[in-house]
Structures are given as C-alpha cells and as structure tokens.
mmCIF file of all heavy atoms in Angstrom:
data_model
loop_
_atom_site.group_PDB
_atom_site.id
_atom_site.type_symbol
_atom_site.label_atom_id
_atom_site.label_comp_id
_atom_site.label_asym_id
_atom_site.label_seq_id
_atom_site.Cartn_x
_atom_site.Cartn_y
_atom_site.Cartn_z
ATOM 1 N N ILE A 1 0.846 -1.206 0.000
ATOM 2 C CA ILE A 1 0.000 0.000 0.000
ATOM 3 C C ILE A 1 0.874 1.246 0.000
ATOM 4 O O ILE A 1 0.608 2.215 -0.726
ATOM 5 C CB ILE A 1 -0.943 -0.004 1.225
ATOM 6 C CG1 ILE A 1 -2.000 -1.105 1.087
ATOM 7 C CG2 ILE A 1 -1.643 1.359 1.360
ATOM 8 C CD1 ILE A 1 -2.859 -1.299 2.315
ATOM 9 N N ASP A 2 1.933 1.235 0.802
ATOM 10 C CA ASP A 2 2.858 2.372 0.834
ATOM 11 C C ASP A 2 3.512 2.585 -0.527
ATOM 12 O O ASP A 2 3.728 3.732 -0.959
ATOM 13 C CB ASP A 2 3.941 2.143 1.898
ATOM 14 C CG ASP A 2 3.395 2.204 3.319
ATOM 15 O OD1 ASP A 2 2.277 2.729 3.501
ATOM 16 O OD2 ASP A 2 4.073 1.712 4.243
ATOM 17 N N THR A 3 3.811 1.486 -1.215
ATOM 18 C CA THR A 3 4.417 1.586 -2.543
ATOM 19 C C THR A 3 3.444 2.207 -3.543
ATOM 20 O O THR A 3 3.828 3.069 -4.344
ATOM 21 C CB THR A 3 4.852 0.192 -3.045
ATOM 22 O OG1 THR A 3 5.827 -0.345 -2.145
ATOM 23 C CG2 THR A 3 5.442 0.271 -4.440
ATOM 24 N N VAL A 4 2.192 1.772 -3.480
ATOM 25 C CA VAL A 4 1.167 2.338 -4.365
ATOM 26 C C VAL A 4 1.023 3.837 -4.104
ATOM 27 O O VAL A 4 0.971 4.647 -5.038
ATOM 28 C CB VAL A 4 -0.189 1.624 -4.172
ATOM 29 C CG1 VAL A 4 -1.278 2.328 -4.985
ATOM 30 C CG2 VAL A 4 -0.093 0.162 -4.591
ATOM 31 N N GLN A 5 0.986 4.209 -2.833
ATOM 32 C CA GLN A 5 0.863 5.618 -2.479
ATOM 33 C C GLN A 5 2.044 6.423 -3.020
ATOM 34 O O GLN A 5 1.858 7.506 -3.590
ATOM 35 C CB GLN A 5 0.779 5.781 -0.969
ATOM 36 C CG GLN A 5 0.722 7.232 -0.509
ATOM 37 C CD GLN A 5 0.545 7.363 0.985
ATOM 38 O OE1 GLN A 5 -0.275 6.667 1.579
ATOM 39 N NE2 GLN A 5 1.309 8.246 1.617
ATOM 40 N N SER A 6 3.238 5.901 -2.862
ATOM 41 C CA SER A 6 4.442 6.596 -3.342
ATOM 42 C C SER A 6 4.395 6.795 -4.850
ATOM 43 O O SER A 6 4.731 7.874 -5.361
ATOM 44 C CB SER A 6 5.699 5.811 -2.958
ATOM 45 O OG SER A 6 5.856 5.765 -1.557
ATOM 46 N N LYS A 7 3.984 5.752 -5.583
ATOM 47 C CA LYS A 7 3.902 5.851 -7.038
ATOM 48 C C LYS A 7 2.870 6.887 -7.472
ATOM 49 O O LYS A 7 3.110 7.681 -8.396
ATOM 50 C CB LYS A 7 3.566 4.487 -7.644
ATOM 51 C CG LYS A 7 4.704 3.481 -7.578
ATOM 52 C CD LYS A 7 4.294 2.153 -8.200
ATOM 53 C CE LYS A 7 5.440 1.146 -8.153
ATOM 54 N NZ LYS A 7 5.055 -0.154 -8.749
ATOM 55 N N MET A 8 1.736 6.884 -6.807
ATOM 56 C CA MET A 8 0.680 7.825 -7.171
ATOM 57 C C MET A 8 1.116 9.261 -6.882
ATOM 58 O O MET A 8 0.908 10.158 -7.706
ATOM 59 C CB MET A 8 -0.613 7.487 -6.423
ATOM 60 C CG MET A 8 -1.250 6.172 -6.850
ATOM 61 S SD MET A 8 -2.834 5.826 -6.011
ATOM 62 C CE MET A 8 -3.937 6.973 -6.865
ATOM 63 N N LEU A 9 1.732 9.490 -5.734
ATOM 64 C CA LEU A 9 2.184 10.835 -5.386
ATOM 65 C C LEU A 9 3.324 11.290 -6.299
ATOM 66 O O LEU A 9 3.410 12.464 -6.666
ATOM 67 C CB LEU A 9 2.618 10.884 -3.924
ATOM 68 C CG LEU A 9 1.479 10.813 -2.896
ATOM 69 C CD1 LEU A 9 2.039 10.675 -1.490
ATOM 70 C CD2 LEU A 9 0.569 12.042 -2.996
ATOM 71 N N MET A 10 4.183 10.369 -6.700
ATOM 72 C CA MET A 10 5.288 10.701 -7.593
ATOM 73 C C MET A 10 4.754 11.132 -8.963
ATOM 74 O O MET A 10 5.259 12.076 -9.572
ATOM 75 C CB MET A 10 6.215 9.497 -7.758
ATOM 76 C CG MET A 10 7.501 9.791 -8.524
ATOM 77 S SD MET A 10 8.554 8.323 -8.669
ATOM 78 C CE MET A 10 8.851 7.964 -6.937
ATOM 79 N N ASN A 11 3.718 10.433 -9.431
ATOM 80 C CA ASN A 11 3.113 10.777 -10.720
ATOM 81 C C ASN A 11 2.367 12.108 -10.661
ATOM 82 O O ASN A 11 2.013 12.671 -11.704
ATOM 83 C CB ASN A 11 2.130 9.686 -11.163
ATOM 84 C CG ASN A 11 2.830 8.397 -11.536
ATOM 85 O OD1 ASN A 11 4.009 8.405 -11.853
ATOM 86 N ND2 ASN A 11 2.107 7.295 -11.481
ATOM 87 N N CYS A 12 2.113 12.552 -9.442
ATOM 88 C CA CYS A 12 1.310 13.756 -9.259
ATOM 89 C C CYS A 12 2.095 14.831 -8.506
ATOM 90 O O CYS A 12 1.514 15.628 -7.781
ATOM 91 C CB CYS A 12 0.046 13.385 -8.483
ATOM 92 S SG CYS A 12 -1.408 14.363 -8.925
ATOM 93 N N SER A 13 3.388 14.857 -8.701
ATOM 94 C CA SER A 13 4.241 15.802 -7.967
ATOM 95 C C SER A 13 3.895 17.255 -8.274
ATOM 96 O O SER A 13 4.070 18.142 -7.439
ATOM 97 C CB SER A 13 5.719 15.544 -8.280
ATOM 98 O OG SER A 13 5.964 15.674 -9.680
ATOM 99 N N ASP A 14 3.384 17.512 -9.480
ATOM 100 C CA ASP A 14 3.021 18.871 -9.852
ATOM 101 C C ASP A 14 1.515 19.117 -9.786
ATOM 102 O O ASP A 14 1.011 20.107 -10.325
ATOM 103 C CB ASP A 14 3.531 19.185 -11.258
ATOM 104 C CG ASP A 14 2.962 18.222 -12.302
ATOM 105 O OD1 ASP A 14 2.415 17.168 -11.914
ATOM 106 O OD2 ASP A 14 3.089 18.511 -13.505
ATOM 107 N N CYS A 15 0.807 18.219 -9.117
ATOM 108 C CA CYS A 15 -0.648 18.346 -9.011
ATOM 109 C C CYS A 15 -1.034 19.372 -7.945
ATOM 110 O O CYS A 15 -0.236 19.723 -7.071
ATOM 111 C CB CYS A 15 -1.280 17.003 -8.646
ATOM 112 S SG CYS A 15 -1.215 15.773 -9.968
ATOM 113 N N ALA A 16 -2.271 19.810 -8.017
ATOM 114 C CA ALA A 16 -2.817 20.700 -6.997
ATOM 115 C C ALA A 16 -2.985 19.927 -5.692
ATOM 116 O O ALA A 16 -3.071 18.693 -5.683
ATOM 117 C CB ALA A 16 -4.163 21.252 -7.458
ATOM 118 N N GLU A 17 -3.057 20.663 -4.590
ATOM 119 C CA GLU A 17 -3.191 20.023 -3.283
ATOM 120 C C GLU A 17 -4.476 19.205 -3.179
ATOM 121 O O GLU A 17 -4.523 18.185 -2.511
ATOM 122 C CB GLU A 17 -3.147 21.073 -2.168
ATOM 123 C CG GLU A 17 -1.763 21.633 -1.906
ATOM 124 C CD GLU A 17 -0.746 20.542 -1.578
ATOM 125 O OE1 GLU A 17 -1.066 19.659 -0.745
ATOM 126 O OE2 GLU A 17 0.353 20.559 -2.150
ATOM 127 N N THR A 18 -5.537 19.653 -3.856
ATOM 128 C CA THR A 18 -6.797 18.909 -3.817
ATOM 129 C C THR A 18 -6.634 17.527 -4.450
ATOM 130 O O THR A 18 -7.235 16.552 -3.993
ATOM 131 C CB THR A 18 -7.906 19.675 -4.560
ATOM 132 O OG1 THR A 18 -7.440 20.039 -5.876
ATOM 133 C CG2 THR A 18 -8.299 20.922 -3.808
ATOM 134 N N GLN A 19 -5.810 17.448 -5.502
ATOM 135 C CA GLN A 19 -5.560 16.163 -6.153
ATOM 136 C C GLN A 19 -4.711 15.257 -5.271
ATOM 137 O O GLN A 19 -4.979 14.056 -5.158
ATOM 138 C CB GLN A 19 -4.882 16.389 -7.505
ATOM 139 C CG GLN A 19 -5.790 17.046 -8.537
ATOM 140 C CD GLN A 19 -5.054 17.389 -9.806
ATOM 141 O OE1 GLN A 19 -4.057 18.115 -9.785
ATOM 142 N NE2 GLN A 19 -5.539 16.879 -10.938
ATOM 143 N N LYS A 20 -3.709 15.840 -4.625
ATOM 144 C CA LYS A 20 -2.872 15.050 -3.727
ATOM 145 C C LYS A 20 -3.687 14.537 -2.540
ATOM 146 O O LYS A 20 -3.499 13.406 -2.082
ATOM 147 C CB LYS A 20 -1.689 15.885 -3.240
ATOM 148 C CG LYS A 20 -0.696 16.231 -4.349
ATOM 149 C CD LYS A 20 0.432 17.114 -3.839
ATOM 150 C CE LYS A 20 1.397 17.471 -4.969
ATOM 151 N NZ LYS A 20 2.487 18.371 -4.514
ATOM 152 N N GLN A 21 -4.606 15.362 -2.058
ATOM 153 C CA GLN A 21 -5.465 14.927 -0.956
ATOM 154 C C GLN A 21 -6.376 13.795 -1.400
ATOM 155 O O GLN A 21 -6.669 12.865 -0.631
ATOM 156 C CB GLN A 21 -6.299 16.098 -0.450
ATOM 157 C CG GLN A 21 -7.130 15.785 0.792
ATOM 158 C CD GLN A 21 -6.286 15.300 1.952
ATOM 159 O OE1 GLN A 21 -5.324 15.950 2.350
ATOM 160 N NE2 GLN A 21 -6.638 14.132 2.508
ATOM 161 N N LEU A 22 -6.812 13.849 -2.649
ATOM 162 C CA LEU A 22 -7.667 12.781 -3.169
ATOM 163 C C LEU A 22 -6.897 11.462 -3.220
ATOM 164 O O LEU A 22 -7.473 10.391 -2.972
ATOM 165 C CB LEU A 22 -8.182 13.155 -4.565
ATOM 166 C CG LEU A 22 -9.289 12.264 -5.141
ATOM 167 C CD1 LEU A 22 -10.499 12.237 -4.230
ATOM 168 C CD2 LEU A 22 -9.691 12.746 -6.537
ATOM 169 N N ILE A 23 -5.604 11.524 -3.539
ATOM 170 C CA ILE A 23 -4.770 10.321 -3.512
ATOM 171 C C ILE A 23 -4.739 9.734 -2.100
ATOM 172 O O ILE A 23 -4.914 8.527 -1.910
ATOM 173 C CB ILE A 23 -3.336 10.636 -3.978
ATOM 174 C CG1 ILE A 23 -3.316 10.945 -5.471
ATOM 175 C CG2 ILE A 23 -2.392 9.454 -3.677
ATOM 176 C CD1 ILE A 23 -1.963 11.400 -5.988
ATOM 177 N N LEU A 24 -4.535 10.584 -1.117
ATOM 178 C CA LEU A 24 -4.478 10.117 0.273
ATOM 179 C C LEU A 24 -5.826 9.547 0.715
ATOM 180 O O LEU A 24 -5.874 8.551 1.444
ATOM 181 C CB LEU A 24 -4.050 11.266 1.202
ATOM 182 C CG LEU A 24 -2.657 11.849 0.932
ATOM 183 C CD1 LEU A 24 -2.362 12.996 1.893
ATOM 184 C CD2 LEU A 24 -1.582 10.767 1.040
ATOM 185 N N ASN A 25 -6.909 10.150 0.251
ATOM 186 C CA ASN A 25 -8.244 9.614 0.556
ATOM 187 C C ASN A 25 -8.421 8.235 -0.064
ATOM 188 O O ASN A 25 -9.000 7.324 0.542
ATOM 189 C CB ASN A 25 -9.328 10.555 0.031
ATOM 190 C CG ASN A 25 -9.392 11.864 0.788
ATOM 191 O OD1 ASN A 25 -8.826 11.987 1.880
ATOM 192 N ND2 ASN A 25 -10.068 12.853 0.223
ATOM 193 N N PHE A 26 -7.912 8.092 -1.288
ATOM 194 C CA PHE A 26 -8.011 6.813 -1.981
ATOM 195 C C PHE A 26 -7.214 5.742 -1.231
ATOM 196 O O PHE A 26 -7.714 4.627 -1.019
ATOM 197 C CB PHE A 26 -7.486 6.953 -3.412
ATOM 198 C CG PHE A 26 -7.554 5.682 -4.214
ATOM 199 C CD1 PHE A 26 -8.763 5.222 -4.689
ATOM 200 C CD2 PHE A 26 -6.401 4.948 -4.496
ATOM 201 C CE1 PHE A 26 -8.841 4.039 -5.425
ATOM 202 C CE2 PHE A 26 -6.466 3.782 -5.227
ATOM 203 C CZ PHE A 26 -7.689 3.325 -5.699
ATOM 204 N N ILE A 27 -6.006 6.075 -0.818
ATOM 205 C CA ILE A 27 -5.170 5.123 -0.088
ATOM 206 C C ILE A 27 -5.833 4.721 1.231
ATOM 207 O O ILE A 27 -5.776 3.555 1.633
ATOM 208 C CB ILE A 27 -3.766 5.706 0.163
ATOM 209 C CG1 ILE A 27 -3.021 5.896 -1.165
ATOM 210 C CG2 ILE A 27 -2.963 4.805 1.100
ATOM 211 C CD1 ILE A 27 -2.799 4.628 -1.959
ATOM 212 N N ASP A 28 -6.485 5.668 1.891
ATOM 213 C CA ASP A 28 -7.206 5.337 3.125
ATOM 214 C C ASP A 28 -8.295 4.308 2.863
ATOM 215 O O ASP A 28 -8.499 3.384 3.666
ATOM 216 C CB ASP A 28 -7.837 6.604 3.727
ATOM 217 C CG ASP A 28 -6.820 7.482 4.439
ATOM 218 O OD1 ASP A 28 -5.714 6.978 4.759
ATOM 219 O OD2 ASP A 28 -7.119 8.669 4.675
ATOM 220 N N LYS A 29 -8.976 4.449 1.736
ATOM 221 C CA LYS A 29 -10.021 3.485 1.388
ATOM 222 C C LYS A 29 -9.418 2.117 1.071
ATOM 223 O O LYS A 29 -9.982 1.078 1.435
ATOM 224 C CB LYS A 29 -10.838 3.995 0.193
ATOM 225 C CG LYS A 29 -11.754 5.155 0.513
ATOM 226 C CD LYS A 29 -12.527 5.614 -0.720
ATOM 227 C CE LYS A 29 -13.499 6.729 -0.364
ATOM 228 N NZ LYS A 29 -14.594 6.270 0.516
ATOM 229 N N VAL A 30 -8.276 2.115 0.389
ATOM 230 C CA VAL A 30 -7.587 0.847 0.101
ATOM 231 C C VAL A 30 -7.234 0.143 1.409
ATOM 232 O O VAL A 30 -7.439 -1.070 1.553
ATOM 233 C CB VAL A 30 -6.318 1.101 -0.740
ATOM 234 C CG1 VAL A 30 -5.512 -0.209 -0.873
ATOM 235 C CG2 VAL A 30 -6.683 1.624 -2.131
ATOM 236 N N LYS A 31 -6.729 0.884 2.370
ATOM 237 C CA LYS A 31 -6.358 0.314 3.662
ATOM 238 C C LYS A 31 -7.559 -0.322 4.360
ATOM 239 O O LYS A 31 -7.448 -1.383 4.968
ATOM 240 C CB LYS A 31 -5.752 1.393 4.571
ATOM 241 C CG LYS A 31 -4.376 1.864 4.147
ATOM 242 C CD LYS A 31 -3.873 2.985 5.064
ATOM 243 C CE LYS A 31 -2.511 3.491 4.645
ATOM 244 N NZ LYS A 31 -2.033 4.612 5.483
ATOM 245 N N LYS A 32 -8.702 0.335 4.261
ATOM 246 C CA LYS A 32 -9.910 -0.179 4.912
ATOM 247 C C LYS A 32 -10.347 -1.515 4.317
ATOM 248 O O LYS A 32 -10.972 -2.339 5.000
ATOM 249 C CB LYS A 32 -11.042 0.849 4.802
ATOM 250 C CG LYS A 32 -10.831 2.071 5.664
ATOM 251 C CD LYS A 32 -11.953 3.061 5.480
ATOM 252 C CE LYS A 32 -11.721 4.331 6.303
ATOM 253 N NZ LYS A 32 -12.786 5.342 6.095
ATOM 254 N N HIS A 33 -10.044 -1.718 3.041
ATOM 255 C CA HIS A 33 -10.445 -2.961 2.381
ATOM 256 C C HIS A 33 -9.400 -4.067 2.480
ATOM 257 O O HIS A 33 -9.652 -5.198 2.064
ATOM 258 C CB HIS A 33 -10.779 -2.693 0.911
ATOM 259 C CG HIS A 33 -12.020 -1.908 0.711
ATOM 260 N ND1 HIS A 33 -13.276 -2.360 1.090
ATOM 261 C CD2 HIS A 33 -12.234 -0.655 0.163
ATOM 262 C CE1 HIS A 33 -14.186 -1.462 0.781
ATOM 263 N NE2 HIS A 33 -13.576 -0.418 0.221
ATOM 264 N N CYS A 34 -8.222 -3.716 3.003
ATOM 265 C CA CYS A 34 -7.186 -4.730 3.208
ATOM 266 C C CYS A 34 -7.293 -5.287 4.621
ATOM 267 O O CYS A 34 -7.725 -4.580 5.538
ATOM 268 C CB CYS A 34 -5.789 -4.118 3.002
ATOM 269 S SG CYS A 34 -5.283 -4.093 1.269
#
C-alpha cells in the first residue's frame, strides 16, 4: 500500500493540493479494504 501511495504521489508531484489529498483519501479506502 505504501508503494502504491508513493507511485501515485510521484506521478502527481506537480498536481494541486486537492488532487494530492484525493490520492491520500483513496489510499485510506484501500487500507480499509485490506
């Protein structure tokens, strides 16, 4: 999960903060299902 998060954030290094927050929200949901 940490690896997926790192890859997503790396691909979005120039994204707006709202997009980066959406990544973190997505990872939280992934964690809940694991």
Side-chain angles (χ1 to χ4, degrees):
I1 291 173
D2 291 343
T3 299
V4 174
Q5 177 176 315
S6 295
K7 288 180 179 180
M8 292 183 75
L9 288 172
M10 188 180 300
N11 291 338
C12 213
S13 59
D14 59 345
C15 290
E17 286 304 313
T18 51
Q19 291 174 303
K20 293 177 181 178
Q21 186 57 54
L22 191 58
I23 290 174
L24 298 179
N25 291 345
F26 180 74
I27 294 299
D28 283 343
K29 288 180 177 293
V30 173
K31 289 177 181 178
K32 289 178 182 178
H33 290 297
C34 275

